Amino acid sequence: MEKKAFQAESQRLLDLMINSIYTHKEIFLRELISNASDATDKLAYLALTDDKIGVNRDELKITLTPDQIARTLTISDHGVGMTRAEMEDNLGTIAKSGSLQFKQDMAAKDAGDTAAKSDVDIIGQFGVGFYSAFMVADHVTVISKAHGSDEAWKWESDGVDGYTMEPCEKDTVGTDIILHIKPDGEEEKYGEYLEQYRISELVQKYSDYIHYPIVMLMHKSRQKPRPEDAGDDYKPEWEDYDQWETLNSMVPLWQRPKSEVTDEEYNQFYKEKYADWEDPIATVHVSTEGAVEYKAMLYIPSHAPYNFYTRDYEKGLQLYSAGVLIMDKCADLLPDHFRFVKGVVDSQDLSLNISREMLQHTRQLKVIANNLEKKIKNELLRLQKDEREKYEQFWKAFGLQIKYGLLSDYGAHKDMLKDLLLFWSSKDGKYTTLAEYRSRMSEDQPYIYFAAGESVDKIAHLPQTERILDKGYEILYLTEDPDEFVMSTLGAWDEKPFKSVNDADALPETDEEKSAAEQKATENKDVLDFVKETLGDQIKEARISRILKSGAVCMTSDGPVTLEMEKYFRRMDPDHADNMKAQRVLELNPDSDAFAALKRAMESDKDKAARYAQLLYSQALLIAGLPLEDPTAYTQLVCSLMD
């Protein structure tokens, strides 16, 4: 029997096919099953277009047969099969794809017949998938009988220097690919691809939605029925048996019309697919036709994974092509601000690389990603409007991610995300959107007010909020790290600027009020100078406050870094936090009893006055949620003033 050389010019090309194109060896099974599915599709299509071709639908299946003794794995189909010439073309020529040729022929036929529309899902395009077999096999045998032919042919190769072909016997139409699995080595355990449960796992992972049954004879054990006359000393007996099982589910949920899928089915799929114990908050089922055709099923989880806000978390959607898993986590299909979304996308319009393991960055990919982003936002807005309780549950889990997304890329995504924001409101003690806040504003309210702090309760008791609330104005309570950055990035909402309650100009002043405030500052300049001299570099300035009503003291800041920002930088990067400190301003209420006591002490006991100044500074730190530099010294200071 004559050995023929591969028609591809260089042996190096074959080595590339076998050793370099694919990242994981387990991919070989996906590729061979996909080829078997293509062959079956071709026969099914021919049967639809030619009444003379009869096909038994029960035979349209793919059979896997592992043999641990012979150390072979056989993949069999009842598809269109191959003639001798086709075997030489498709198996003897590296990178020659019979599937691609079939697609091109069908496309040409459809172009000539406007009434025709081929609806066959052919997966293979590159003609290299077959050679992935040599990653796990040291010898491959292919036996095939073409539809309409009386001849069968056997093709054999060790993947080194060529192949042989000879006629053989085969009762049925179709193709058998027999892999002679490599011996196990120290690093590679090829024998795992002969284990039935490993094979089943790979089918479910990569080929679960191939639309033909993938069957395998499973060896199992079971308990024998208890004999009717068994006595009390009966011990259960077990027996081995073999049973044919279908390994794949075939019809993916996302391929079914939305009207035919129940909420229970959506939820069950999600919990099984993503190992979650809770139902998702929402499901987005998309079917799009046009320039780019795809189907998608997206889930918004009800809670964040334990590692969601760490570098270990990987975003991405599962990507399928004609029911075959291409990528487990395609990050390019999700923007970072929606990285919490889980789900699948199925499309044949994406350009894949030769191994079908990675996407090439194409216009189609961007179109799908942009469409999905809009679908996700619309679903979140629907929840916000129609199912507020669910939306607030979502917000508690992923609101922080939305805020980080708004800030990323220098605010490039703020228009996409600003409608999704929620903040706690002083008005009714619940969450509100910015649009809802704006709709409640009185005509005379100049700003959208906010106050930042560690918690809602602490913010509510800040002395600088008092005068804003007394005006009947609503305040947004900011309790998370990015909040003030968000306000700065947005700048305004519906032409109403955001304003901190810490700003001296938070409330408009009349000329008389401005004059009175300036007079108080002038009259008490000696007190302010004394406080500044006493505290030194601890503060930038001591100031007569325009933002306090009944409170004696508070801490504010000058410059772009606020006190809350300082806390954030201190937590994120404690080693360099000193480079991002707020310029602290101690604000004093000249109408308070504490201020009066300070003035009296300045006249009678400068040392006591200095201790008063230090006490007021420490109290302002505590109110602002800032740490005392020396708690022990503070305790001693308080005790010293109790004499």
Side-chain angles (χ1 to χ4, degrees), residues 113-133:
D113 182 3
T114 56
K117 178 66 171 77
S118 59
D119 193 25
V120 58
D121 296 332
I122 299 297
I123 303 167
Q125 299 183 50
F126 300 107
V128 300
F130 169 75
Y131 296 96
S132 66

Side-chain angles (χ1 to χ4, degrees), residues 41 154 223 493 513 546 576:
D41 271 335
K154 179 193 291 186
Q223 188 174 328
W493 179 273
E513 289 172 331
R546 295 185 179 184
H576 301 91

